[in-house]
């Protein structure tokens, strides 16, 4: 909402010393969002004058149309000025910038020779003067604008300050000069003159013609409908200059007197109006619901298909307008209109908001109606508009017809001490009552602490005691409320789950990954790309009723889909090496699909709450990561190392270590991953599968052990080439996704510290030849079982396949660390552990020493 300061001053009796910026500061303190304080014609230095075009000579010898104009600016002789615009002729009044004047943009006017003539000035357009963005031709003034030579700065509003305000949805009254002026009057403690209460001084209705009839077929959607009739109107009557200037200052383009008056009154009072050409209408004008499939062409020349939910203004033949949104093309005011039906009504904000969104048609009228206009304003606004039409366009006033449904009085029980309790500061009861009266509230039983408050009709947002408390505090000023931090009770802080999740994030960040947040939505294309078939429990099936994007209508069931989207955006911007992760919710199962209606008379019962929860999908916490490109850059130290499947597994290992868990890796089968480079991940508590009594916190023996008794949590590895192609990712991209809930559930709050022996370690390396199909994890598990309790850890450090081993076999080299807690191991103990390990792998897998 753009509000000229001079217009605000007409309603709020503010001191002349108050500037536009001071007004903006007070409005901001009162909770409004003032985005800018602008100045009309800012950058214009010097005066511009009114000139009358005496003659126009067309210069045809140039490649583009050029005109040599003689312009009378009140001097002895006319001035010659070159101009290329075509929208004026001899006798028109124009705005002239004389040599020495500086126009916005630091453009200095000089007398210069061009096109064979000396141009002694410039005929200006609105854009060149900084009045608006209009540049289609120069600015032509009406004949009554003034005599040639008159300074035009004040006429054009140059120097006028304008407040540009972003109006929030709960403050619809601020979409009017009336509402903003009232706010300023309250903020500065000055009187306010309500223009809605001014007498419009309409003439007595003519007896020669009865006014047009009106009605409403849906009193809930349209409880108030008024219609004023004016005949013998002059359609060629111009809009007065002051009105045109104010409309332009507010960002609206003047069109014609009838349209300009309705727009002017809407800006002034906040009540949208619409003028119909009465000669194009048949029968009573009324509000009614449209028919399904009915076609209607709005003023923007768009053919719209209506539904039974749309409220329209109609006559006996067809719709005349989409109520509260936009009028119809068939009944618009044009240059032949002499009879006007002026409509002003109150519409249910929900009906207008739904219609505007359904037809994707946001207008000045719909923005006001959906925020809530003054319920009682319509007849006053239409009287004001009718008076202006009669004053400047002539004609005869035929009267008004109206229909109104009873409206209950809103009453709010209020405690005068509530504002002080909420703000935590002393506020006098008298001050509270004074503020409530200043914003238009009526106070009943005002002798005690408890009273009944009737909010004003222009404040439909005031419905509860908390609303009134907010009003009192914002008028006092939010900056006056002391800032007091609440004291946290002793012994409270982050929960165990919060601490563990934070530990997971720090562990992944420590490995070089960057956390991202993506939208929790996905589409069927992502599900197909990840190999989630219709039978898969991981395929998304919770569809949103109103998705942000039709390509992602489901709540996500996996995190990798969102990470792929984030990766694509980074890759498109040249970031080719990525290591990102996300912790978040995934949704599986679509609920029972039942519709549950909750009572508004109290909290839901246990059964109602259970029924509501049954409609929701299962929600789990997961963590996933995506690794793309190089893990290390190339340099003098060597070539770059690309990410591979082992890096993805290492990320899961880092998470498990942070939570005090062991992971168990085995070949996996997941449609999203490469069939030969996919690891299925299982977890146990640290040391859960090790037969050693100790654990250093990084027991690789447990990390590679069999997953007997373990909980499967997900997969890690290299993505399938088909998955990479369909998700738009580079080949050989790697990733992981695991169930964070399962990991957190297994991670205990208290963990035993590792027992560190002070005795020396004995190291044994074994190179074992095994068939290719034997998994290294299974060999490690057999070594653990055979070596006994003296084995501290086992680590696979080499894999060899080549001419030195039989075909179909490979060599796995393991490093064994042996140690006792209470003594130094003897040679016999070391040999016994080594032989036990060899015997176990030979028995289990037919392994032999290389």
């Amino acid at each position: 909402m753009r509000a000229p300061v001079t217009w605000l001053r007409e309603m709020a009796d503010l001191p002349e010393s108050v500037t536009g910026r001071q007004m903006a500061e007070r409005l901001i303190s009162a909770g409004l969002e003032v985005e800018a304080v602008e100045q009309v014609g800012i950058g214009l230095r010097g005066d511009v004058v009114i000139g009358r075009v005496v003659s126009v000579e067309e210069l045809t010898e140039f490649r583009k149309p050029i005109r040599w104009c003689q312009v009378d600016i009140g001097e002895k002789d006319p001035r010659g000025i070159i101009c290329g615009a075509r929208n004026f002729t001899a006798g028109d009044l124009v705005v002239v910038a004389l040599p020495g004047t500086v126009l916005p943009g630091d453009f200095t006017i000089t007398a210069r020779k061009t096109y064979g003539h000396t141009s002694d000035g410039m005929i200006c357009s609105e854009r060149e003067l900084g009045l608006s963005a209009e540049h289609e031709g120069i600015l032509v003034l009406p004949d009554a604008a003034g005599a040639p030579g008159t300074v035009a700065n004040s006429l054009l509003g140059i120097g006028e300050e304008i407040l540009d305000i972003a109006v929030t949805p709960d403050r619809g009254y601020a979409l009017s000069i009336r509402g903003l002026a009232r706010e300023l009057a309250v903020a500065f403690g000055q009187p306010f003159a309500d223009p809605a209460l001014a007498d419009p001084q309409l003439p007595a209705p003519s007896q020669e013609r009865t006014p047009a009839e009106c009605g409403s077929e849906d009193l809930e959607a349209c409880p108030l409908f008024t219609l004023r009739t004016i005949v013998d109107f002059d359609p060629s009557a111009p809009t007065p200059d002051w009105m045109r200037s104010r409309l332009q200052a507010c960002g609206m383009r003047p069109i014609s007197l009838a349209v300009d008056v309705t727009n002017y009154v809407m800006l002034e009072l906040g009540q949208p109006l619409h003028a119909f050409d009465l000669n194009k209408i048949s029968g009573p004008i009324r509000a009614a619901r449209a028919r399904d499939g009915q076609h209607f062409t709005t003023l923007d020349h768009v053919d719209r298909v209506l539904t039974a939910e749309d409220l329209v203004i109609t006559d006996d033949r067809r719709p005349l307008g989409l109520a509260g949104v936009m009028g119809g093309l068939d009944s618009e005011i044009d240059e032949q209109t002499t009879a006007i039906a002026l409509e002003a009504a109150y519409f249910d904000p929900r009906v207008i908001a739904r219609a505007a969104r359904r037809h994707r048609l946001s207008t000045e009228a719909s923005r006001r109606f959906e925020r809530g206009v003054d319920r009682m304003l319509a007849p006053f606004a239409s009287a004001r508009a009718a008076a202006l039409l009669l004053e400047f366009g002539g004609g005869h006033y035929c009267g008004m017809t109206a229909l109104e449904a009873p409206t209950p009085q809103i009453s709010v029980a209020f405690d005068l001490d509530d504002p002080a309790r909420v703000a935590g500061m002393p506020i006098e009861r008298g001050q509270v009552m004074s503020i409530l009266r200043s914003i238009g509230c009526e106070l009943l039983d005002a002798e005690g602490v408890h009273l009944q408050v009737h909010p004003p009709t222009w404040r439909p947002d005031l419905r509860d005691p908390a609303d009134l408390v907010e009003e009192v505090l914002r008028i006092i000023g939010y900056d006056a409320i002391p800032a007091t931090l609440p004291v946290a009770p002793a012994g409270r802080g982050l929960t165990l789950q919060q601490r563990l999740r934070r530990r997971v994030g720090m562990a992944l960040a420590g490995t070089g990954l960057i956390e991202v947040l993506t939208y929790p939505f996905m589409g069927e294309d992502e599900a197909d790309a990840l190999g989630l078939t219709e039978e898969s429990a991981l395929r998304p099936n919770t569809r949103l009723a109103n998705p942000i994007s039709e390509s992602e209508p489901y709540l996500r069931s996996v995190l990798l889909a969102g990470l792929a989207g984030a990766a694509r955006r980074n890759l498109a911007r040249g970031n080719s090496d990525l290591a990102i992760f996300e912790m978040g919710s995934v949704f599986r199962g679509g609920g029972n699909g039942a519709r549950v209606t909750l009572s508004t008379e109290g909290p839901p019962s246990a059964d109602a709450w259970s029924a509501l929860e049954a409609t929701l999908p299962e929600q789990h916490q997961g963590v996933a990561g995506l690794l793309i490109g190089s893990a290390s850059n190339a340099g003098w130290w060597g070539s770059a190392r690309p990410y591979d499947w082992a890096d993805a597994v290492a990320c899961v290992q880092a998470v498990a270590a942070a939570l005090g868990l062991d992971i168990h890796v085995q070949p996996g089968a997941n449609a999203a991953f490469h069939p030969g480079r996919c690891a299925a991940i299982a977890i146990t508590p640290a040391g859960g599968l090790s037969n050693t009594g100790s654990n250093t916190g990084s027991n690789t023996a447990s990390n590679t052990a069999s997953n007997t008794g373990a909980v499967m949590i997900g997969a890690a590895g290299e993505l399938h080439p088909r998955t990479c192609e369909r998700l738009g990712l580079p080949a050989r991209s790697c990733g992981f996704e695991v169930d964070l809930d399962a990991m957190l559930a297994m991670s205990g709050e208290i963990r035993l510290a590792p027992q560190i022996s002070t005795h020396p370690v004995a190291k044994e390396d074994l190179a074992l030849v095994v068939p290719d199909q034997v998994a290294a994890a299974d060999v490690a598990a057999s070594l653990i079982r055979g070596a006994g309790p003296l084995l501290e850890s086992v680590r696979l450090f080499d894999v060899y396949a080549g001419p030195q081993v039989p075909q179909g076999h490979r060599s796995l080299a393991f490093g064994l660390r042996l140690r006792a807690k209470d003594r130094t191991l003897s040679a016999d103990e070391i040999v016994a552990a080594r032989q036990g390990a060899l015997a176990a792998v030979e028995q289990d897998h037919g392994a032999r020493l290389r």
Side-chain angles (χ1 to χ4, degrees), residues 216-568:
S216 174
E217 297 180 6
D218 189 337
L219 292 178
E220 290 187 0
C222 178
L224 174 62
F225 195 97
T226 69
L227 200 66
R228 295 184 188 270
T229 304
I230 297 174
V231 297
D232 300 329
F233 176 77
D234 181 5
S236 64
T239 302
D241 295 333
W242 60 267
M243 187 181 294
R244 290 171 57 89
S245 297
R246 284 187 170 175
L247 290 174
Q248 290 172 334
C250 292
M252 303 191 79
R253 181 172 60 89
I255 298 174
S256 66
L257 177 60
V259 176
D260 293 346
V261 164
T262 59
N263 287 335
Y264 177 82
V265 173
M266 177 184 69
L267 293 171
E268 181 183 51
L269 301 181
Q271 170 68 51
L273 304 104
H274 190 76
F276 297 99
D277 188 331
L278 193 56
N279 293 328
K280 300 177 182 178
I281 294 173
S282 175
I285 300 175
R286 58 195 182 277
R289 295 287 183 172
R291 299 192 308 271
D292 270 325
Q294 191 172 17
H295 285 259
F296 169 64
T297 303
T298 45
L299 285 171
D300 56 358
H301 296 265
V302 175
D303 181 61
R304 304 184 185 275
V305 181
L306 304 178
T307 72
E309 295 183 14
D310 289 321
L311 186 71
V312 296
I313 306 301
T314 184
D315 64 1
D316 289 342
R317 294 185 299 173
R318 65 196 185 287
L320 305 175
L322 190 58
V325 181
M326 183 177 282
L329 190 62
D330 292 341
S331 59
E332 71 170 329
I333 299 291
D334 56 30
E335 58 274 10
Q336 281 82 42
T337 299
T338 59
I340 295 175
L342 186 62
E343 167 242 309
Y346 176 84
F347 301 112
D348 186 333
R350 295 167 298 180
V351 174
I352 305 306
R354 290 167 184 165
R357 284 155 182 75
R358 187 161 46 246
H359 293 283
R360 298 181 180 179
L361 186 61
S362 179
T363 64
E364 293 289 340
S366 68
R367 280 192 286 273
R368 286 165 172 79
F369 277 123
E370 65 189 25
R371 285 167 170 79
V373 301
D374 188 342
R375 172 67 174 77
M376 309 304 293
L377 186 59
F380 300 95
S382 67
R384 167 74 165 146
L388 290 172
L389 289 172
L390 292 169
E391 179 180 356
F392 298 109
H396 296 90
Y397 177 58
C398 300
M400 179 185 80
T401 56
L403 179 143
E404 182 176 12
T407 302
Q409 173 70 59
I410 302 298
S411 183
V412 180
F414 187 66
D415 188 328
L416 289 174
D417 293 333
D418 278 351
R421 279 194 291 266
V422 172
M425 58 184 280
I427 302 176
E428 296 293 333
R429 296 173 183 173
Q431 184 182 9
V432 173
M433 296 171 64
S434 175
I435 291 174
L436 291 177
R437 288 192 177 102
S438 70
I439 64 173
C441 293
E442 181 184 358
L443 309 184
L444 304 180
D445 303 326
E447 298 300 325
V449 177
H450 302 280
L451 67 159
Q452 293 294 318
V453 178
H454 291 173
T457 55
W458 58 83
R459 293 299 303 273
D461 57 307
L462 302 182
R463 288 293 179 267
D464 299 307
D467 299 329
L468 300 177
V469 170
E470 180 185 3
E471 284 300 296
V472 172
L473 297 183
R474 78 175 185 88
I475 297 301
I476 291 175
Y478 294 129
D479 53 350
I481 300 175
T484 305
L485 292 176
V487 179
R492 295 182 182 273
L494 296 177
T495 66
L496 173 62
Q497 297 293 306
Q498 291 171 329
R499 295 198 303 272
L500 293 177
R501 282 196 294 271
R502 181 170 293 185
R503 195 175 298 167
V504 169
M506 294 177 65
L508 288 173
T511 62
L513 276 69
I514 297 174
E515 185 172 11
V516 298
L517 294 175
T518 64
Y519 287 115
F521 313 123
M522 65 182 295
E524 293 185 351
D525 290 344
E526 288 93 341
D528 294 338
L530 293 169
L532 304 179
T533 62
E534 295 291 344
E535 295 76 22
S536 173
L538 298 182
R539 190 172 181 89
N541 59 3
T542 305
R543 188 179 182 92
L544 299 170
N546 187 25
I548 295 177
S549 171
E550 290 299 332
S551 62
E552 295 181 336
Y554 296 96
L555 288 175
R556 68 186 176 195
S557 58
V558 291
L559 294 171
L560 279 175
L563 287 175
R568 286 194 300 271

Side-chain angles (χ1 to χ4, degrees), residues 106 126 141 164 189 217 293 446 467 548 610 735 777 800 824 826:
D106 202 25
E126 293 181 17
L141 301 175
D164 190 356
E217 297 180 6
D467 299 329
I548 295 177
S610 298
Y800 172 76
T824 300
S826 66

Side-chain angles (χ1 to χ4, degrees), residues 479-736:
D479 53 350
I481 300 175
T484 305
L485 292 176
V487 179
R492 295 182 182 273
L494 296 177
T495 66
L496 173 62
Q497 297 293 306
Q498 291 171 329
R499 295 198 303 272
L500 293 177
R501 282 196 294 271
R502 181 170 293 185
R503 195 175 298 167
V504 169
M506 294 177 65
L508 288 173
T511 62
L513 276 69
I514 297 174
E515 185 172 11
V516 298
L517 294 175
T518 64
Y519 287 115
F521 313 123
M522 65 182 295
E524 293 185 351
D525 290 344
E526 288 93 341
D528 294 338
L530 293 169
L532 304 179
T533 62
E534 295 291 344
E535 295 76 22
S536 173
L538 298 182
R539 190 172 181 89
N541 59 3
T542 305
R543 188 179 182 92
L544 299 170
N546 187 25
I548 295 177
S549 171
E550 290 299 332
S551 62
E552 295 181 336
Y554 296 96
L555 288 175
R556 68 186 176 195
S557 58
V558 291
L559 294 171
L560 279 175
L563 287 175
R568 286 194 300 271
R569 285 188 289 276
N570 279 271
L571 291 168
R573 289 160 175 79
N575 188 9
S576 57
D577 298 326
L578 286 175
I580 56 177
F581 78 95
E582 180 174 13
M583 285 188 291
S585 297
V586 292
F587 308 86
R588 293 164 186 168
N592 58 21
R595 184 180 295 273
V596 178
T597 302
L598 300 179
S599 171
T600 59
E601 297 180 355
S605 64
D607 291 341
W609 188 254
S610 298
L612 185 63
E613 288 187 322
T615 66
L616 303 177
E618 296 180 7
Q619 188 171 174
H620 303 275
Q621 288 289 313
V623 58
L626 204 54
L627 308 173
I628 298 173
S630 298
S632 61
N633 295 327
W636 58 264
W637 52 85
S639 59
R641 183 184 75 81
Y643 285 112
D644 61 20
W645 64 268
D647 294 301
V649 175
C651 290
V652 182
Q653 286 177 321
V655 172
L659 297 177
L661 305 173
D662 288 336
I663 73 165
H664 310 283
V665 181
Q666 64 184 30
N670 187 305
F673 291 87
H674 193 292
R677 300 168 190 150
C678 173
I681 309 293
I683 56 168
T684 60
L689 293 184
S690 175
N691 58 7
T692 67
S694 65
N695 193 332
T696 65
S698 179
N699 192 330
T700 311
S702 297
N703 290 345
T704 57
S706 168
N707 67 347
T708 304
V711 176
M712 298 298 300
I713 60 168
E718 181 181 311
L719 296 180
H720 198 288
R722 180 187 61 249
T723 302
C724 293
E725 180 181 359
R726 299 183 69 172
L727 289 178
L729 303 177
R732 306 301 295 269
S733 297
C734 301
F736 65 89

Side-chain angles (χ1 to χ4, degrees), residues 64-132:
K64 63 178 182 178
I66 296 296
R67 312 174 92 186
W68 170 242
C69 308
Q70 298 298 315
V71 183
D72 176 13
I73 60 169
E75 298 174 340
K76 181 178 179 181
D77 297 316
R79 291 199 180 212
I81 300 176
I82 290 289
C83 184
R86 317 289 298 175
N87 67 316
F88 66 96
T89 186
D92 286 344
L93 290 181
V94 295
V95 178
V96 179
L98 300 177
T101 302
V102 180
L103 297 181
D106 202 25
F107 180 66
T108 303
I109 304 300
T110 60
R112 61 192 182 95
K113 189 170 183 179
T114 180
Y115 295 103
H117 297 273
T118 298
S119 183
D120 197 16
M122 179 177 178
I123 303 175
C124 302
S125 68
E126 293 181 17
R127 184 178 182 180
E128 290 160 344
L129 292 170
L131 303 180
S132 71

